[in-house]
Amino acid sequence: MGITIEKLVLRHIRMPLVHFFETSFGRTYSRDIILVEAAMDGVSGWGEVTAGENPFYNEEWTGSAWPLLIDYVAPRVLNFTFTSAEEVYGRTSHIRGHNMTRAGVECAIWDLFARLHSQPLWKEIGGGARAQIPCGVSIGIQDSVPILLDKIRVELEAGYQRIKMKIKPGWDVDVIREVRREFPSILLMADANSAYTLDDVNELRRLDEFNLMMIEQPLAHDDIIDHATLQRLLQTPICLDECIRSAHQGQQAIDMGACRIINIKLGRIGGFGEARRLHDVCARHGVPVWCGGMLESGIGRAHNIALSTLPNFTLPGDVSASRRYWKQDIIVPPVEVSATGTIAINDYDGFGYEVDHRFLDMVTVRTETLT
Ligand code: OSB
Ligand code: MG
């Protein structure tokens, strides 16, 4: 059965975060997100562009995604007939980079296929290896160590299975030591978002004493080679995030010994098609993966839940409850996490939640309908 994309609706929404989120590259108070609705025969699939407000995590930002969608992605997709959502990735692969923007449309079309097949998105992508996904949280850099310790305590009491803390030079060894003193046996990891170089190797080696599950992306956002050098000098496993933008790069990183774990983000990798290929590469090499987050709205969050049901997503990810980010989410019900730190999969068609259209209209700052 072919599916012809008749209409794309772009919505730029703005929602304040419940609490600011600070990484080594800056602080975010409010999110600007582009949602993509892909429609055929009155049925709509939904996707989310996970780019940040500034080009600081990678080169994309909300402002680059909007014209790219209109000028380059939409013309390749509108009125085109797809026999499988697997074909969408290739339709836009002539565009260099901009994976998050392309993924916004790709994921919407996967959701559309799932709905037209009257099945959940997790089934459409070949997931379903687990009925509950294990959840961790990502905790940003705080104004003080006591504030961080309090935040960690709150999340552990809520049931989350692992804690990821953001680090940067000046907020690393001494802070992790305090965390370990307070919580000696929790599953703990650190994410540096590219804040170090190989010159910092002695500082990074001091992290080995804290029994971290992994250190995420310590070196440059576009580097694999230096990570291989660093991994040889560290006991702590390296997990790569920013620098893995394709299944092929994942294969190269594993072959070089640059990491022992990979964080898969739908946006960074260009959507479900390539995410599955990266997942399979990692599985073949015995490299576990987990699902990363980009402070998504409920729609991107629901896609992450579906992705996390693929078999090799064996580690707790950064997919957590809506209430950690939003006073009100754009989906109903919001994403909720059980007292044992899991999110239950449901059997509804598509991404599994309802869009709250009234609330969506309230947070929308611009719309573009393309036919
Ligand atoms: O590196 O994983 C990251 C948020 C924005 C940009 C990069 C990252 C993050 C997170 C937050 O760690 C994950 C989440 O809670 O959505
Ligand atoms: Mg990261």
Side-chain angles (χ1 to χ4, degrees), residues 57 164 166 191 193 216-217 241-242 263 265 290 318:
Y57 165 81
K164 159 168 141 184
K166 294 287 188 177
D191 185 359
N193 288 108
E216 187 178 342
Q217 197 74 31
D241 174 356
E242 280 89 330
N263 161 341
K265 288 181 179 167
W290 53 276
D318 278 349

Side-chain angles (χ1 to χ4, degrees), residues 205-224:
R205 286 180 74 165
R206 292 173 65 199
L207 299 176
D208 277 342
E209 70 177 275
F210 301 116
N211 189 30
L212 300 177
M213 292 176 82
M214 66 196 92
I215 174 169
E216 187 178 342
Q217 197 74 31
L219 307 180
H221 70 95
D222 55 357
D223 168 80
I224 293 175

Side-chain angles (χ1 to χ4, degrees), residues 72-73 76-77 80 82 84-96 102-103 106 109-110 269-274 277:
Y72 294 96
V73 183
R76 292 285 290 183
V77 163
F80 188 82
F82 294 97
S84 155
E86 192 65 67
E87 296 164 8
V88 182
Y89 181 84
R91 274 302 284 172
T92 63
S93 56
H94 63 298
I95 300 166
R96 297 281 191 254
R102 294 163 52 207
E106 203 254 15
I109 296 175
W110 275 96
I269 240 47
F272 281 110
E274 191 69 3
R277 285 186 284 276

Side-chain angles (χ1 to χ4, degrees), residues 30-265:
S30 174
R31 293 282 288 113
D32 278 73
I33 295 169
I34 297 170
L35 300 174
V36 179
E37 182 185 350
M40 178 182 109
D41 282 349
V43 179
S44 289
W46 292 79
E48 175 165 338
V49 175
T50 61
E53 289 62 49
N54 297 294
F56 299 160
Y57 165 81
N58 63 9
E59 78 284 358
E60 296 182 82
W61 80 100
T62 318
S64 68
W66 190 266
L68 195 91
L69 285 165
I70 295 169
D71 295 341
Y72 294 96
V73 183
R76 292 285 290 183
V77 163
L78 277 171
N79 301 313
F80 188 82
T81 303
F82 294 97
T83 50
S84 155
E86 192 65 67
E87 296 164 8
V88 182
Y89 181 84
R91 274 302 284 172
T92 63
S93 56
H94 63 298
I95 300 166
R96 297 281 191 254
H98 300 282
N99 289 353
M100 292 171 159
T101 305
R102 294 163 52 207
V105 171
E106 203 254 15
C107 292
I109 296 175
W110 275 96
D111 186 47
L112 177 61
F113 265 90
R115 288 166 196 269
L116 291 168
H117 293 155
S118 303
Q119 68 175 357
L121 181 58
W122 58 260
K123 214 172 249 177
E124 185 72 29
I125 65 165
R130 57 192 65 81
Q132 314 266 337
I133 67 157
C135 307
V137 288
S138 174
I139 301 183
I141 293 164
Q142 304 297 323
D143 286 332
S144 72
V145 173
I147 295 175
L148 175 64
L149 297 177
D150 280 346
K151 292 217 164 241
I152 293 174
R153 191 169 301 107
V154 166
E155 304 298 6
L156 292 170
E157 279 167 9
Y160 287 102
Q161 298 182 9
R162 76 100 169 92
I163 300 292
K164 159 168 141 184
M165 56 182 283
K166 294 287 188 177
I167 58 168
K168 66 176 181 181
W171 182 271
D172 47 28
V173 177
D174 295 340
V175 181
I176 296 177
R177 182 173 296 112
E178 299 284 323
V179 172
R180 262 302 179 223
R181 185 172 319 164
E182 196 74 11
F183 307 103
S185 59
I186 61 169
L187 296 182
L188 182 67
M189 61 173 288
D191 185 359
N193 288 108
S194 304
Y196 299 89
T197 71
L198 276 183
D199 291 340
D200 302 311
V201 66
N202 290 329
E203 193 75 358
L204 292 167
R205 286 180 74 165
R206 292 173 65 199
L207 299 176
D208 277 342
E209 70 177 275
F210 301 116
N211 189 30
L212 300 177
M213 292 176 82
M214 66 196 92
I215 174 169
E216 187 178 342
Q217 197 74 31
L219 307 180
H221 70 95
D222 55 357
D223 168 80
I224 293 175
I225 296 168
D226 284 356
H227 280 103
T229 303
L230 180 63
Q231 183 66 92
R232 284 194 287 278
L233 299 168
L234 287 187
Q235 274 154 33
T236 307
I238 291 175
C239 170
L240 293 176
D241 174 356
E242 280 89 330
C243 66
I244 305 299
R245 293 156 161 260
S246 66
H248 183 63
Q249 287 176 331
Q251 173 79 62
Q252 291 177 316
I254 293 166
D255 288 347
M256 289 186 69
C259 64
R260 297 191 201 131
I261 299 170
I262 291 180
N263 161 341
I264 300 187
K265 288 181 179 167

